[in-house]
Amino acid sequence: RAAQSALIADCAANGTVLIADEIYHGITYGAEAVSALELTDDVIVVNSFSKYHAMTGWRIGWMVVPAGFERPLANLAQNLFICPSHPSQIAALGALSAEGEAEAAGHLTDYRTNRETVLAALTTLGFRDIAPADGAFYAYATLPEGWEDSMAFSKRLLAEHHVAATPGFDFDPIRGGRTMRFSYAQAPSVITEAMTRLGAFLAKGP
């Protein structure tokens, strides 16, 4: 909250429009995320049903904008798309229902379990520099000693043990060659099996 307040104040002092990407809002472990809208109305907030409501691919989300931004953004949007598809809109309404919110809360319970499973496995298997997974559903870490190429690591892990993970190149073109990102947005049983397979793969050596 303090860091975000300072950022908002700095943007206001410099006449900068603040755009807050809150697409993972609600997926946190420990301290709750603070929406920029809790601190100011002078912000553009972008959000989506893709993450918290597990509706990736439905292509539906929303923006909250300050007064005066509505028309320019509507003009921009109409040159890119007319509106989300009708089925997506109906599904989004379902996601916001009591039943939909209960489903999303259940996902968060699974993510918490998966997070503990993945972080424990990565530590045991020798991954280093494990980034604090305070939000979302990813673990980011440096490869164990002896493994130097995250792209080759990813290809072999997929081909030999059928586990898909993302090499760090997508997130860091300089150091990403030795880092990996693991998603744990799956059923706990699947994540447990994936970590078992990861251990079997590492046991074979580089």
Side-chain angles (χ1 to χ4, degrees):
R1 183 178 292 270
Q4 192 157 207
S5 295
L7 179 61
I8 288 168
D10 190 63
C11 287
N14 289 281
T16 301
V17 176
L18 177 61
I19 302 174
D21 177 356
E22 298 188 358
I23 197 168
Y24 286 99
H25 194 80
I27 307 177
T28 57
Y29 314 97
E32 292 188 6
V34 178
S35 171
L37 290 167
E38 297 179 45
L39 306 172
T40 181
D41 291 327
D42 192 22
V43 60
I44 295 174
V45 171
V46 181
N47 211 321
S48 168
F49 286 87
S50 293
K51 305 304 180 185
Y52 182 78
H53 291 93
M55 291 174 61
T56 303
W58 288 85
R59 294 297 179 242
I60 185 164
W62 67 92
M63 294 176 69
V64 180
V65 303
F69 279 78
E70 305 97 318
R71 188 59 187 167
L73 285 169
N75 290 339
L76 179 62
Q78 70 186 12
N79 285 284
L80 301 174
F81 64 95
I82 300 302
C83 67
S85 70
H86 184 68
S88 292
Q89 294 186 55
I90 297 301
L93 289 174
L96 294 175
S97 68
E99 294 83 359
E101 292 294 353
E103 175 81 13
H107 294 169
L108 189 56
T109 298
D110 285 347
Y111 298 155
R112 288 193 180 99
T113 299
N114 293 344
R115 173 179 178 268
E116 293 177 4
T117 299
V118 170
L119 293 180
L122 294 183
T123 300
T124 300
L125 294 173
F127 283 83
R128 299 161 293 150
D129 308 317
I130 301 172
D134 295 332
F137 34 68
Y138 308 106
Y140 194 84
T142 299
L143 290 168
E145 289 288 350
W147 299 83
E148 303 294 333
D149 185 341
S150 61
M151 183 66 74
F153 183 94
S154 300
K155 289 180 178 180
R156 278 191 56 194
L157 180 61
L158 180 61
E160 298 174 20
H161 289 271
H162 310 294
V163 175
T166 306
F169 284 114
D170 286 350
F171 316 101
D172 185 342
I174 298 173
R175 296 168 296 180
R178 301 192 65 228
T179 58
M180 294 290 301
R181 188 181 79 164
F182 298 92
S183 170
Y184 46 85
Q186 255 288 5
S189 60
V190 174
I191 297 302
T192 298
E193 174 65 20
M195 293 300 100
T196 299
R197 295 185 185 190
L198 176 62
F201 171 68
L202 287 167
K204 295 191 296 187

